Amino acid sequence: MTGARILRWTVGAAGLAALGYGVSTLLTDPQVGDWHGVLRWLVLALLLHDGVLVPVTLLLGLAVGARWRARLRLPFLVAGSLTAVALPVLLRPGATANPSVLPLDYLRGWVLSLAVVGAVALLLPLCRRIPGLRFPGVRIPGGRRPGSGARGGRRTGRRRSGGTP
Amino acid sequence: MRERAVLDPSRLRMGPLREGAFRGRLHDARTAVSVGRLAGAALVVCFVTGLVSHYLQQPPGWAVNVLPSRPVWGYRLTQGLHVASGIAAIPLVLAKLWTVYPRLFAWPPLKSVTHALERLSIAVLVAVTLLQLATGLLNTVQWYPWPWNFRQTHWALAWVLVGALLLHIAVKAPVIAAHWGRRSAGTLRLPAADGPDRRAFLATVGAAVGAVTVTTAGQSFTPLKDLDVLAPRHPDHGPQHLPVNRTAAAAGITAGHLTGYRLTVRGPHPYDLTLPQLQALPRHSAVLPIACVEGWSKNAHWSGVRIRDLLDRAGAPHSATIRVVSLQKGGAYSVMEMGASYARDPLTLLALSLNGAPLDLDHGFPARIIAPNRPGVLQTKWVGMLEVIV
């Protein structure tokens, strides 16, 4: 066997060993409590992600079309990530008896962070208008293509549309 | 003939299973490798720092007396990284899964037993990763809407996650190698026109990681505290400008419980101290962080009596492990064991004051443990007894 092949099998075997240790701990450690509950939540996580979150994302991308998809990807992904991280602090039910847990106005923080994302997304295409500013190899959505010679803020070429994003 | 047509499995190939159902860009192997290695790195950092936290809290017997008490900010760094890498992994994992989503509808769904096992391992990897990130995040706001014990389940699932991840890397090694660099063979076979779009996508994912990090990392990385708008803790909020994990009320401690307070020290030469006697002992100061397992941390000025001075007075051997008993009733951390490496450290104090004032009741008045490089749950508050266990 070559070195790469040995490494590959070693990594795979280490993975199986860790997997086995984790599963056996889950099934046998009395401190875990209810592993049936864990299994139900694992299936639920998979269904919510694969059956709801991604299809909705793809359908949104399909609905806005190829041209807007490229422009909206940044604000959508950043705002979506901020929202995912903010959900627990926004939605935790019941007051905490500890004033140093959740001490901030999180609705304000969340709205403020999304406003910053929106402002950046609006300003980013204008960066292409700044003479001399280049992002080598990166296409800024909504901006002028490198070397296209057209005015900033407009796309000259049309990308193939249709299909899922 | 008609019956055969009904049984023809290709008739089931509809909806997203149709060939060419996903015509969008960036669902290719190069994008998957580029995002996947970042997501994998975040998950590995999360796993390793989680191991550090686990073994600092529950050391195996041989390690109890040799755990390092330096650097003083060690646990602050590793647990801050644990929570920050977990939060950073959220956009990375979601972007990775979006990239490879069309493969969920690969046709035929199952080709062989090996193929079935591989798909099962990916289902395990995806489900466990999603659950670990979501429940870990909920733990930081002390919200437990599930029927199992968080800590032990998080530990078991972490091993399942890292195992499934290593297995996935081993299975996909040829694909990963073929798409690792811009000039790798597999990358060059992909449409060159996707290159700029792919880099824009990666920059977007990077922006998302940056956004969730700067809005939360201030809970442990104090220079960013002014941008901390989404973290469950803020360094400036709490009695004496220091957050609290377990309040006196939650621990069942009231000022009434503390009248007639005495510190009991059990060892070869046992003794008791009243609060005035304890306060009259030689004082030492230290700047040490409180670093919580939930990810927040902050440095503070502590002053009090060295644990090793109290142990010397009790005639304890230098190699002794000690047991620290809190006045709080019940709770997993009302009794704490401390190995010799911490107990003998000159910075480990039975702290009596915080930032120049007597401890707030929520910070463990009249006396609490503060030791370097230790999880916050082991910095026992409302200390009533020190016991030498040889």
Side-chain angles (χ1 to χ4, degrees):
Chain A
M1 287 210 288
T2 62
R5 222 173 125 78
I6 293 171
L7 182 66
R8 189 180 174 198
W9 280 92
T10 310
V11 169
L16 273 179
L19 196 72
Y21 173 70
V23 170
S24 75
T25 306
L26 193 69
L27 298 184
T28 58
D29 191 327
Q31 283 188 61
V32 166
D34 173 17
W35 66 262
H36 295 96
V38 177
L39 205 61
R40 274 197 299 275
W41 277 62
L42 284 170
V43 172
L44 187 72
L46 211 52
L47 291 178
L48 275 179
H49 179 268
D50 288 0
V52 181
L53 184 64
V54 186
V56 166
T57 306
L58 295 176
L59 290 174
L60 274 177
L62 202 59
V64 299
R67 186 171 159 178
W68 279 96
R69 196 184 304 148
R71 291 183 193 196
L72 292 178
R73 192 174 272 153
L74 177 96
F76 178 80
L77 188 63
V78 180
S81 300
L82 285 167
T83 305
V85 168
L87 281 178
V89 293
L90 288 172
L91 299 181
R92 187 194 191 279
T96 66
N98 180 348
S100 70
V101 178
L102 304 179
L104 307 173
D105 181 350
Y106 291 103
L107 190 61
R108 177 182 160 273
W110 177 62
V111 170
L112 209 67
S113 63
L114 295 198
V116 171
V117 174
V120 170
L122 285 174
L123 291 174
L124 204 56
L126 302 179
C127 290
R128 280 276 156 171
R129 298 188 182 205
I130 301 172
L133 186 65
R134 292 279 180 278
F135 299 90
V138 178
R139 180 181 298 154
I140 292 186
R144 195 178 64 189
R145 278 183 176 187
S148 71
R151 281 189 58 220
R154 288 236 180 254
R155 297 215 56 157
T156 46
R158 272 214 165 225
R159 288 239 311 261
R160 183 175 56 144
S161 60
T164 47
Chain B
M1 286 301 282
R2 192 177 159 76
E3 201 169 307
R4 269 190 69 189
V6 170
L7 291 174
D8 182 359
S10 69
R11 285 184 59 129
L12 294 170
R13 198 172 184 191
M14 54 182 83
L17 293 167
R18 280 176 295 122
E19 189 165 8
F22 293 91
R23 279 176 293 144
R25 319 281 280 269
L26 302 182
H27 295 292
D28 56 82
R30 167 68 181 158
T31 313
V33 170
S34 303
V35 184
R37 61 190 169 198
L38 297 174
L43 293 176
V44 167
V45 169
C46 214
F47 177 75
V48 172
T49 50
L51 283 190
V52 170
S53 182
H54 181 86
Y55 286 119
L56 281 180
Q57 283 185 66
Q58 294 185 318
W62 59 267
V64 169
N65 289 315
V66 295
L67 287 178
S69 58
R70 294 288 186 281
V72 295
W73 40 262
Y75 188 71
R76 187 180 191 195
L77 177 72
T78 60
Q79 198 59 13
L81 271 179
H82 182 71
V83 172
S85 61
I87 288 174
I90 291 171
L92 290 171
V93 164
L94 292 179
K96 168 68 163 76
L97 294 179
W98 172 86
T99 301
V100 296
Y101 187 70
R103 301 190 58 79
L104 184 62
F105 304 99
W107 194 267
L110 299 174
K111 284 188 280 200
S112 62
V113 176
T114 325
H115 187 226
L117 286 174
E118 191 215 325
R119 297 206 71 175
L120 177 67
S121 78
I122 290 180
V124 169
L125 176 60
V126 173
V128 171
T129 305
L130 292 170
L131 194 66
Q132 285 290 76
L133 295 178
T135 55
L137 192 65
L138 288 177
N139 175 54
T140 68
V141 299
Q142 305 184 347
W143 182 9
Y144 307 98
W146 47 76
W148 63 82
N149 173 299
F150 172 74
R151 206 171 64 125
Q152 200 59 21
T153 307
H154 203 58
W155 165 254
L157 289 181
W159 283 97
V160 177
L161 194 166
V162 86
L165 181 62
L166 289 176
L167 199 58
H168 181 56
I169 292 169
V171 169
K172 296 289 182 189
V175 183
I176 296 170
H179 299 88
W180 188 260
R182 281 190 197 183
R183 313 236 174 279
S184 301
T187 311
L188 292 174
R189 282 195 293 274
L190 293 169
D194 281 352
D197 275 349
R198 187 176 298 120
R199 287 186 281 280
F201 175 65
L202 288 171
T204 298
V205 174
V209 170
V212 295
T213 302
V214 298
T215 50
T216 55
Q219 66 176 336
S220 52
F221 186 62
T222 21
L224 283 178
K225 69 175 182 177
D226 291 337
L227 296 172
D228 170 8
V229 291
L230 297 179
R233 304 293 193 134
H234 190 281
D236 291 344
H237 288 258
Q240 295 175 294
H241 301 287
L242 186 68
V244 167
N245 191 36
R246 191 168 168 80
T247 59
I253 301 273
T254 60
H257 286 97
L258 302 169
T259 47
Y261 171 84
R262 294 179 86 82
L263 174 72
T264 306
V265 183
R266 284 194 192 158
H269 310 296
Y271 58 91
D272 274 18
L273 294 172
T274 63
L275 188 54
Q277 287 171 329
L278 185 59
Q279 287 164 337
L281 292 179
R283 290 282 192 113
H284 293 268
S285 295
V287 177
L288 291 175
I290 283 281
C292 183
V293 65
E294 288 160 14
W296 61 269
S297 61
K298 194 185 180 188
N299 256 340
H301 290 77
W302 307 91
S303 111
V305 183
R306 281 177 180 168
I307 294 295
R308 71 181 201 183
D309 294 347
L310 292 168
L311 296 181
D312 286 346
R313 182 167 165 176
H318 283 201
S319 59
T321 305
I322 61 167
R323 185 177 292 134
V324 180
V325 184
S326 172
L327 295 171
Q328 78 179 76
K329 296 284 169 274
Y333 300 103
S334 59
V335 178
M336 174 274 283
E337 286 188 8
M338 178 187 273
S341 54
Y342 291 108
R344 301 305 309 178
D345 192 294
L347 293 179
T348 302
L349 303 177
L350 185 66
L352 304 172
S353 84
L354 161 59
N355 295 335
L359 291 175
D360 187 278
L361 193 57
D362 281 344
H363 285 305
F365 179 84
R368 77 169 301 166
I369 295 291
I370 185 77
N373 192 25
R374 275 210 120 189
V377 285
L378 302 181
Q379 312 278 30
T380 308
K381 301 194 276 194
W382 313 290
V383 172
M385 184 168 70
L386 302 179
E387 191 179 353
V388 177
I389 39 179
V390 182

